[in-house]
């Protein structure tokens, strides 16, 4: 129903004469703009794939196929049964997103293959070629003699022809919460998570990932022993070594490469979403993006405890204080962690009860109060890795939420170890299926979901738009209890993790040192960068993460108050991986700009004609004179300027700094404002 226009054109199928000869041919598809060419080719019936961009090889002949525990490998030789080509073009409206309309345009194709020799099994390959990249997936159709499939190995490889710089995190099956390492592709030794972003020596920016990960396990990538530029699909295994346990028909996730000539073009691609089916939820009127605050950071800095006791955070009184603040400040939601039994038993068997509030959390009083103030409560289901125990309580837990008018929940699977007690991993198939069960249950009860310690994002939110956001990254919390995230971290995320989907990074910390609680830790940014991150990091549930007392009487908080919850349009103006990025997003007749840098200060130059087409007022929150994340992070300049499309913004961004601007329609009296081109001199 969100399909605005679905055009199938030029769909034609040609049935190839079925013969028993091994396939010895090529099947090529080009992108609509003809720049990308994807070829399936077969050498004596053994299929492989390759990609050319502007006529130059990007991926050389790369493997396809499977190994099974209960059957011979499915690698050929195959004969070609039939081949089909088509074109898929549609424009659809996401329920929420970085824009209000998404256009998808690709050539599509499928080949049906049959083993030349016994047992003559069938395998189909489906391909899509977009202007922004390629995708392919396997299908093992229902057929005689093929029932249960225990995949020991998916043999897909990505045989890249040029070296490049790569930003990676280790493919730890239990964690995505790592710092990125930059290395040469040829020097990468570990198995790594996707999206894996590479700047190739042929000046292409590519990101290898997967889309529509359902009933399968996550793909990590492992450098091949034989060739440093070949990456092999390395599926996260079950505890018994199987990679995927399933039945025919099997439809694998899409294997994808987003391909761009500029780093910022990666950010504009919606290929991952476009490879997922439309919403399965018919009435989506209850799904609304929001900003939220919560009883959260206080626990991470030791001001509060999750457990009931002297410094318990989630008390009735404290939650009401947060509700008051939200109601007064254009914040729609309040999260309360530590509301339920039994945080004292964290790590022990059957610890968390999702229908049992602590005594000092009067859920009925809180419900009434929140309702009277028009604020949404966000529940919290920390499982402490006991996902099976959560499932035992699942329906009751969501009934309980409904009963108390709670229509959003944050789930959690904290602890970098296997799921208890089943010994499966966070990225394995069991958890892929678990999250799906939770999201579908939540949809039945009209609950929005924000997953922490999730399985990676692969665009499922198109089909399940109540799956709002997820962590799955080294988020703000690490600044509270580790050596912290380096200033470059958030300049890497937009080009890596964020290509997969929304991130609950939880920006907006104003007290960057929190010396009163943890003098040895701090957040390594300027204050202006915390505001800019609210725009740069995309999440339809965006948290302003600090204690509310740190927002009170802070002029800088006006930017967060003004920030919309949803966007009509986003433009990615400039950026280089791990260095800097500038993004503008539009909502109604206002634009919001977020620009951030790594540890290096820099001068930002933005021709305003890149996004505005009439005179506007610019409310600027920029790094003040001498600002520096390390020595002077709070120096902030706030000013109102007149901005015309003919102007160019020149601003200084401090080391570890940022810039946040709200552009709004010009009003009377604006004539007295200084022109925005003077911004730099005011700093
Ligand atoms: C880790 C999550 O990332 C964090 O947000 C949460 O507060 C703790 N687990 C406790 O559930
Ligand atoms: Ca976490």
């Amino acid at each position: 129903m969100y399909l605005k226009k679905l055009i199938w054109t030029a769909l034609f199928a040609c049935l190839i004469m079925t013969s028993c000869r091994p396939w010895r041919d090529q099947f090529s598809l080009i992108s609509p703009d003809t720049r990308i060419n994807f070829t399936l080719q077969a050498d004596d019936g053994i299929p492989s794939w390759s990609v050319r961009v502007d006529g130059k090889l990007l991926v050389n002949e790369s493997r396809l196929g499977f190994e099974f525990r209960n059957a011979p490998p499915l690698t050929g030789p195959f004969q070609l049964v039939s081949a089909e080509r088509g074109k898929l073009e549609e424009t659809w409206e996401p329920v929420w997103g970085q824009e209000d309309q998404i256009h998808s345009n690709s050539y599509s194709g499928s080949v049906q293959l049959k083993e030349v020799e016994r047992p003559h099994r069938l395998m189909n390959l489906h391909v899509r070629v977009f202007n922004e990249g390629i995708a392919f997936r396997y299908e093992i159709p229902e057929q005689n003699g093929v029932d249960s499939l225990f995949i020991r190995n998916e043999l897909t490889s990505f045989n890249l022809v040029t070296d490049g710089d790569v930003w990676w995190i280790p493919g730890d099956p239990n964690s995505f919460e790592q710092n990125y390492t930059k290395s040469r592709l040829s020097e990468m030794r570990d198995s790594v998570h996707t999206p894996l972003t590479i700047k190739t020596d042929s000046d292409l920016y590519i990101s290898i990932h997967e889309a529509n990960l359902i009933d399968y396990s996550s793909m990590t990538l492992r450098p091949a022993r034989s060739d440093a530029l070949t990456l092999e699909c390395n599926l996260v295994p079950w505890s018994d070594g199987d990679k995927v346990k399933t039945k025919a028909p099997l439809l694998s996730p899409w294997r994808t490469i987003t391909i761009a000539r500029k780093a910022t073009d990666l950010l504009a691609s919606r290929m991952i979403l476009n490879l997922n089916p439309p919403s399965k939820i018919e009435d989506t009127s209850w799904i609304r993006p929001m900003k939220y605050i919560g009883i959260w950071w206080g626990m991470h800095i030791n001001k509060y405890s999750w457990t009931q006791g002297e410094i318990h955070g989630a008390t009735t009184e404290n939650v009401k204080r947060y509700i008051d603040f939200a109601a007064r400040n254009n914040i729609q939601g309040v999260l309360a962690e530590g509301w339920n039994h039994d945080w004292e038993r964290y790590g022990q068997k059957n610890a968390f009860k999702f229908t049992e509030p602590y005594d000092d959390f009067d859920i009925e009083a809180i419900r009434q109060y929140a309702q009277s103030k028009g604020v949404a409560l966000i529940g919290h289901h920390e499982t402490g890795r006991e996902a099976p125990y959560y499932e035992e309580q699942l329906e009751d837990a969501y009934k309980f939420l409904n009963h108390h008018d709670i229509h959003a929940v944050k789930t959690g699977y904290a602890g970098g170890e296997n799921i208890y007690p089943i010994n499966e991993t966070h990225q394995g198939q069991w958890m892929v299926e678990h999250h799906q069960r939770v999201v579908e249950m939540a949809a039945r009860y009209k609950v929005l979901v924000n997953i922490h310690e999730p399985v990676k994002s692969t665009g499922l939110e198109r089909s399940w738009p109540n799956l709002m956001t997820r962590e799955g990254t080294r988020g703000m919390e690490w600044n509270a209890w580790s050596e912290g995230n380096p200033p470059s971290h958030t300049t890497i995320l937009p080009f890596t993790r964020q290509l997969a989907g929304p991130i609950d990074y939880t920006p907006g910390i104003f007290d960057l040192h929190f010396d009163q609680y943890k003098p040895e830790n701090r957040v390594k940014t300027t204050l202006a960068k915390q505001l800019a991150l609210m725009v740069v990091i995309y999440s339809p549930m965006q948290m302003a993460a600090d204690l509310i007392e740190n927002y009170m009487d802070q002029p800088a908080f006006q930017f967060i108050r003004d920030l919309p919850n949803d966007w009509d349009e986003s433009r990615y103006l400039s950026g280089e991986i791990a260095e800097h990025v500038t993004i503008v997003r539009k909502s109604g007749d206002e634009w919001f700009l977020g620009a951030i840098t790594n540890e290096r200060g820099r001068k930002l130059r933005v021709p305003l004609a890149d996004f505005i087409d009439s005179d506007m007022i610019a409310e600027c929150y920029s790094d003040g004179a001498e600002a520096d994340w390390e020595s002077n992070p709070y120096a902030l300049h706030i000013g109102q300027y007149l901005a015309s499309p003919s102007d160019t913004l020149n601003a200084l961004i401090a080391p570890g700094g940022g810039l946040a601007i709200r552009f709004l329609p010009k009003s009377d009296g604006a004539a007295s404002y200084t022109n925005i081109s003077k911004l730099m001199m005011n700093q």
Side-chain angles (χ1 to χ4, degrees), residues 177 414 452-453 471 473 477-478 481:
E177 302 189 17
H452 274 232
E453 298 78 47
E471 184 194 42
T473 202
E477 64 189 24
W478 283 81
W481 32 256

Side-chain angles (χ1 to χ4, degrees), residues 321-571:
R321 217 167 55 89
Y322 271 71
I323 292 171
D324 279 336
F325 183 85
R328 283 200 307 268
N329 289 286
N330 192 28
I331 304 281
Q332 294 69 40
V334 170
L335 164 75
E337 292 197 7
W339 67 277
N340 63 322
H341 286 281
D342 224 356
W343 282 81
E344 290 76 4
R345 296 186 52 253
Y346 196 135
Q348 296 170 35
K349 196 169 177 333
N350 297 354
F352 289 103
K353 311 279 187 294
F354 302 107
T355 53
E356 293 178 22
Y358 279 131
D359 306 340
D360 57 356
F361 183 89
D362 183 343
I363 193 162
E364 184 48 28
I366 290 170
R367 180 190 73 76
Q368 282 179 20
Y369 197 71
Q371 205 169 47
S372 74
K373 299 277 174 173
V375 171
L377 285 174
I378 303 171
H380 186 224
H381 291 168
E382 174 56 63
T383 66
R385 293 186 287 116
E386 279 196 286
Y389 187 52
Y390 181 33
E391 289 204 18
E392 278 176 38
Q393 304 175 63
L394 203 59
E395 181 119 33
D396 289 345
Y398 283 82
K399 272 190 189 146
F400 182 86
L401 290 177
N402 264 205
H403 185 72
H404 296 286
D405 249 335
I406 300 176
H407 288 281
V409 73
K410 169 176 169 181
T411 60
Y413 303 82
E417 290 163 46
N418 288 356
I419 300 300
Y420 182 80
I422 53 176
N423 214 24
E424 302 301 339
T425 65
H426 284 69
Q427 302 301 317
Q429 187 184 355
W430 196 90
M431 281 305 278
V432 169
E433 292 176 5
H434 165 79
H435 291 299
Q436 193 59 32
R437 287 190 281 271
V438 172
V439 166
E440 291 187 25
M441 178 69 76
R444 271 178 47 205
Y445 286 92
K446 298 204 161 118
V447 175
L448 312 179
V449 182
N450 166 7
I451 313 173
H452 274 232
E453 298 78 47
V455 82
K456 70 165 100 164
S457 199
T458 59
L460 298 180
E461 60 272 21
R462 180 177 179 192
S463 310
W464 298 96
N466 66 319
L467 203 187
M468 305 296 280
T469 189
R470 59 182 101 198
E471 184 194 42
T473 202
R474 192 177 159 102
M476 182 64 76
E477 64 189 24
W478 283 81
N479 293 309
W481 32 256
S482 77
E483 74 282 10
N485 299 343
S488 61
H489 184 59
T490 43
T491 60
I492 299 172
L493 290 183
F495 303 97
T496 53
R497 161 67 182 81
Q498 188 154 295
L499 301 179
I503 315 180
D504 190 35
Y505 185 79
T506 67
I509 297 298
F510 277 25
D511 178 9
L512 300 159
H513 291 97
F514 42 92
D515 280 345
Q516 195 186 340
Y517 304 105
K518 282 193 166 181
E520 68 286 6
N521 299 93
R522 64 158 298 182
V523 178
K524 296 176 175 173
T525 72
T526 65
L527 178 55
K529 184 170 176 179
Q530 288 298 312
L531 298 179
L533 285 172
M534 308 282 305
V535 177
V536 169
I537 304 284
Y538 174 65
S539 179
M541 284 176 77
Q542 185 67 294
M543 186 175 203
D546 211 338
L547 308 171
I548 51 175
E549 42 275 36
N550 293 334
Y551 293 144
M552 290 172 186
D553 305 320
Q554 287 291 334
F557 192 71
Q558 188 59 39
F559 185 76
I560 295 180
R561 212 176 270 132
D562 291 335
L563 202 73
N565 306 328
D566 197 25
W567 303 109
D568 301 333
E569 193 183 337
S570 296
R571 294 190 193 172

Side-chain angles (χ1 to χ4, degrees), residues 19-35:
S19 77
C20 291
R21 277 187 293 119
W23 184 30
R24 270 195 204 95
D25 204 355
Q26 291 197 337
F27 176 84
S28 286
L29 281 178
I30 51 161
S31 55
D33 67 2
T34 73
R35 299 185 77 168

Side-chain angles (χ1 to χ4, degrees), residues 175-194:
S175 178
F176 260 81
E177 302 189 17
Q178 323 268 7
N179 273 320
Y180 282 82
T181 300
K182 177 188 177 187
S183 72
R184 297 292 290 165
L185 175 62
S186 55
E187 283 159 14
M188 200 175 74
R189 294 284 168 264
D190 294 356
S191 193
V192 296
H193 280 305
T194 74

